[in-house]
Amino acid sequence: MADTATASRSVAFLGLGTMGFPMAGHLAVRGGHRVTVFNRTAAKADAWTARFGGASALTPADAAREAEVVFLCVGGDDDVRAVAGEAMGAMKPGTIVADHSTVSAAVSREMAELARERGLFFLDAPVSGGQAGAENGVLTVMVGGDADAFARVQPLMACYGRSVTHMGPAGAGQLTKMVNQICIAGLLQGLAEGMAFAQKAGLDGHKVVDVIGKGAAQSWQMDNRAKTMLDGKFDFGFAVDWMRKDLGIVLDEARNNGATLPVTALVDQFYAEVQGMGGNRLDTSSLMTRLTR
């Protein structure tokens, strides 16, 4: 058992998609916790229990009823309202809901208030690190909500999070994730343009990356995506459709708070072009495709 483990606790995990499936697995295997899972497609829950043990439930309420902490990793605002709302109706007072979905800060504040009214705690806790980070248990987790509730749940999140940080009150986790997506969008577009330029210039792109990756241009995206972009490989998990959903949340928030995001808005439209080329399920580094078609 990993050194992140605490005494075994009864937890629920709702949503077993690309991210949730391995995250719930780390709670069971690394943490040694008693995990009950729910997924709208029951076959995924069956596959999870076949691999990791634990139990599955037919509804969010059934999964959450006896849990001390309920984790959530679903699609968008309406999914959080539906799944968390149903689960909270069955929870015992004092239970913590930790939402790993990427949604609006507004819905996180809404759910935190609903939880407070019911004697519960709601933490917005989006993650960064993609499918590989989830599978390897090295995600970055940014958390908004009650500080004492965070302190209680942080050791569990450490089962799959290399960095787990409390960012402030309800909504602060989602706002931090928005900053993350703004930065990634700009970095990937710059990287795509750089790699396309290297090809047009007749340079050995892989050699270029080896050289400039040791200087000021270095980034995680360059280390992990530049050479695969040059090779036309775009199947690394975080899909264009998901990025457009996230950037839509960012741009809505910017309209509310007055932030000016010209590059982010432009890159969002570039991703729309990739979708128009049929690249909905390609990963976010596929910005390269619109420059080399």
Side-chain angles (χ1 to χ4, degrees):
M1 189 180 297
D3 59 6
T4 56
T6 62
S8 179
R9 297 166 74 177
S10 176
V11 304
F13 204 105
L14 314 180
L16 300 174
T18 301
M19 304 293 285
F21 194 100
M23 291 165 71
H26 288 308
L27 284 167
V29 176
R30 283 188 177 180
H33 300 294
R34 305 182 302 281
V35 183
T36 299
V37 297
F38 164 81
N39 195 73
R40 285 171 171 169
T41 303
K44 279 194 175 180
D46 293 340
W48 190 92
T49 56
R51 179 171 174 182
F52 297 110
S56 65
L58 294 177
T59 68
D62 288 341
R65 203 175 308 277
E66 299 301 323
E68 301 172 54
V69 181
V70 177
F71 297 94
L72 187 70
C73 193
V74 294
D77 285 16
D78 289 341
D79 300 300
V80 170
R81 287 188 180 100
V83 177
E86 180 180 342
M88 285 195 287
M91 292 177 195
K92 298 174 292 187
T95 303
I96 299 169
V97 184
D99 179 25
H100 291 306
S101 316
T102 296
V103 295
S104 69
V107 81
S108 294
R109 296 186 189 108
E110 174 189 325
M111 299 309 293
E113 178 59 22
L114 180 62
R116 187 192 64 77
E117 291 171 358
R118 296 183 177 184
L120 309 169
F121 299 94
F122 185 94
L123 302 174
D124 51 293
V127 301
S128 181
Q131 182 176 352
E135 291 174 350
N136 295 321
V138 292
L139 292 169
T140 295
V141 189
M142 46 213 95
V143 186
D146 181 82
D148 290 337
F150 168 77
R152 289 165 54 195
V153 80
Q154 190 275 340
L156 283 81
M157 292 181 179
C159 291
Y160 44 78
R162 175 170 55 189
S163 171
V164 182
T165 306
H166 186 244
M167 301 303 301
Q174 296 295 349
L175 292 169
T176 304
K177 178 65 181 284
M178 293 178 208
V179 176
N180 186 77
Q181 301 306 76
I182 292 166
C183 295
I184 288 174
L187 281 169
L188 281 169
Q189 178 60 21
L191 191 57
E193 291 182 16
M195 296 304 98
F197 180 91
Q199 289 180 329
K200 293 288 188 182
L203 294 169
D204 180 332
H206 283 246
K207 192 172 183 179
V208 169
V209 173
D210 288 339
V211 171
I212 69 173
K214 297 179 176 66
Q218 186 274 338
S219 69
W220 186 98
Q221 298 292 344
M222 178 173 286
D223 291 347
N224 290 276
R225 294 291 179 263
K227 291 183 178 180
T228 55
M229 290 166 79
L230 290 165
D231 295 339
K233 298 177 181 177
F234 307 109
D235 57 351
F236 297 98
F238 192 74
V240 168
D241 282 350
W242 300 342
M243 187 59 154
R244 285 220 72 205
K245 184 264 290 186
D246 289 1
L247 293 181
I249 292 169
V250 167
L251 294 170
D252 283 345
E253 186 68 31
R255 282 187 282 272
N256 291 332
N257 69 19
T260 303
L261 305 177
V263 173
T264 304
L266 185 60
V267 176
D268 178 57
Q269 290 308 301
F270 292 160
Y271 277 122
E273 288 185 34
V274 176
Q275 288 176 317
M277 296 163 57
N280 304 64
R281 304 306 299 173
L282 299 179
D283 80 82
T284 50
S285 67
S286 60
L287 283 169
M288 181 80 168
T289 61
R290 56 177 295 280
L291 300 175
T292 57
R293 55 184 167 176

